[in-house]
Amino acid sequence: MKKLVKIFILFISIYFIGSLNINALTLNCNGSLLKKGSRGERVKVLQEMLNQKENCGLATDGIFGNNTKSCVMNYQSHNNLKVDGIVGWETCNKLNGTKSSSSNSKSSNKSTAIKTFKRTNTVKGVVIATDTNIRKAPSTSAKKIGKTSLGKVVTILGQEYDWYRIKGANNKIGYIRADLVSKNCIIVDISDQKLIVYTDGVKDWTTNVITGNRGNHDTPIGSYVLRKTNLAKDRVLKGKNDNGTSYSSPVDYWMPFITERGIGFHDASWRKSYQYNTSTYQGSGSHGCVNMQHEAAEKLFNGITRDVNVVVRK
């Protein structure tokens, strides 16, 4: 009898310890999507969790191959998830036993992702050139009375020929060449991690963003043009991580403004809403693109009806 009791206690202990191990495993959902070809510790954790939940018998080698993909698809099928063999936000959270609240949900964060401004009759413009002269009269030969810089916002009082009459800093009235100011502009402010949209000279709306990882993938400061003809839906962005591995990130909205470098605005389903703050880019930023919450990316995409200036400033 004592022997049976010992065996029973041993069985309960093993079961209890096994349960603790299962609960102790947590898959980090903050990184990039895990899919065929992915490698690393996160893949190893994924394989261990799948073995426990689906009894797949996977080798926990940290390599996402065909067997891992098949097991992921089985898990997704058994849990009413999209069966694509890709571990995104929803699948990751399901594995962890947490409720998904990702920005991948098209209805999430609708009250916080976008802030609109009260429309006014004051017309403004965004300076799209560096060290722009403000002159006393609408002529390049007129006296310089000041300067303004890239990304500064000026009040437009009127237009004379190819010049805007503006009110700048300290309410100083002067003239600036009209081709150096844009009434339809998107400002990306690196320091504040915000995107601000001006439409027909009026500050329209703003949203928090995540720009390039500071120090090695900075979103380039400067003035650019976002061409309407370059907009695209349902794209897969591909590239190399710093450790040499490849990434492949599907996005719903792709809006490139530095086409030769593959830098643009896009939604980022792998990001949590709380990451859209003023510090994420200082260690966990993008590869140079401007990450946006889904609702904000959709609004920006649908609002571009013509070419628009983009200013990236500090």
Side-chain angles (χ1 to χ4, degrees), residues 89-108:
W89 181 258
E90 291 187 0
T91 299
C92 184
N93 273 278
K94 190 70 175 181
L95 283 163
N96 288 335
T98 56
K99 187 176 180 180
S100 175
S101 59
S102 164
S103 60
N104 188 42
S105 168
K106 295 175 177 55
S107 61
S108 68

Side-chain angles (χ1 to χ4, degrees), residues 11 23 32 35 42 46 51 67 80 83 86 90 106 141 162 184 186-188 203 238-239 248 250 252 275 280 285 288:
F11 174 79
N23 292 332
S32 58
K35 58 186 296 186
R42 290 176 66 230
L46 169 66
N51 282 341
N67 291 338
N80 297 318
V83 182
I86 298 173
E90 291 187 0
K106 295 175 177 55
S141 60
D162 295 329
N184 296 286
I186 301 167
I187 294 179
V188 178
K203 195 175 184 180
K238 299 182 178 181
S248 182
D252 288 343
Q275 289 182 289
T280 296

Side-chain angles (χ1 to χ4, degrees), residues 21-284:
N21 287 337
I22 290 175
N23 292 332
L25 281 174
T26 302
L27 182 60
N28 180 6
C29 299
N30 290 341
S32 58
L33 299 172
L34 294 179
K35 58 186 296 186
K36 185 177 178 181
S38 298
R39 291 171 177 262
E41 287 300 315
R42 290 176 66 230
V43 176
K44 182 181 285 190
V45 172
L46 169 66
Q47 291 167 330
E48 291 175 354
M49 295 179 81
L50 290 171
N51 282 341
Q52 292 172 352
K53 295 174 182 293
E54 290 291 316
N55 194 27
C56 295
L58 297 171
T60 55
D61 54 7
I63 301 173
F64 199 126
N66 288 327
N67 291 338
T68 302
K69 180 178 179 180
S70 295
C71 191
V72 169
M73 294 175 73
N74 286 339
Y75 179 79
Q76 289 171 329
S77 177
H78 296 156
N79 288 274
N80 297 318
L81 297 165
K82 180 181 178 181
V83 182
D84 56 7
I86 298 173
V87 181
W89 181 258
E90 291 187 0
T91 299
C92 184
N93 273 278
K94 190 70 175 181
L95 283 163
N96 288 335
T98 56
K99 187 176 180 180
S100 175
S101 59
S102 164
S103 60
N104 188 42
S105 168
K106 295 175 177 55
S107 61
S108 68
N109 303 311
K110 285 203 171 185
S111 61
T112 59
I114 296 169
K115 175 184 176 183
T116 58
F117 296 99
K118 184 178 180 180
R119 296 188 68 84
T120 67
N121 294 323
T122 303
V123 179
K124 295 184 179 293
V126 179
V127 178
I128 58 174
T130 304
D131 294 330
T132 302
N133 292 319
I134 300 174
R135 297 185 180 271
K136 189 173 183 179
S139 170
T140 54
S141 60
K143 181 182 177 180
K144 299 176 186 177
I145 60 172
K147 280 194 172 188
T148 187
S149 58
L150 179 72
K152 293 293 185 181
V153 178
V154 295
T155 300
I156 298 175
L157 304 175
Q159 183 168 2
E160 295 182 29
Y161 305 106
D162 295 329
W163 294 76
Y164 283 137
R165 184 168 179 262
I166 62 125
K167 180 166 66 174
N170 301 320
N171 292 323
K172 185 177 290 186
I173 307 298
Y175 291 83
I176 188 171
R177 279 171 39 196
D179 62 318
L180 304 181
V181 177
S182 176
K183 292 181 180 180
N184 296 286
C185 187
I186 301 167
I187 294 179
V188 178
D189 193 298
I190 301 292
S191 298
D192 289 340
Q193 290 291 282
K194 286 190 179 295
L195 177 150
I196 308 164
V197 176
Y198 282 83
T199 305
D200 295 327
V202 177
K203 195 175 184 180
D204 197 350
W205 60 278
T206 185
T207 187
N208 294 338
V209 297
I210 300 173
T211 58
N213 200 45
R214 190 173 71 173
N216 60 342
H217 292 294
D218 296 286
T219 303
I221 303 299
S223 180
Y224 312 97
V225 177
L226 174 54
R227 307 284 181 191
K228 185 180 184 305
T229 53
N230 288 335
L231 302 187
K233 287 186 177 181
D234 302 320
R235 297 294 298 272
V236 177
L237 307 182
K238 299 182 178 181
K240 292 285 186 181
N241 294 307
D242 292 338
N243 61 7
T245 60
S246 298
Y247 67 83
S248 182
S249 304
V251 300
D252 288 343
Y253 302 101
W254 172 234
M255 298 160 275
F257 57 87
I258 311 179
T259 53
E260 66 274 14
R261 295 181 57 179
I263 293 177
F265 304 106
H266 62 77
D267 52 295
S269 61
W270 52 94
R271 297 283 193 184
K272 291 183 178 180
S273 59
Y274 70 76
Q275 289 182 289
Y276 289 86
N277 54 46
T278 58
S279 61
T280 296
Y281 84 106
Q282 298 179 36
S284 186

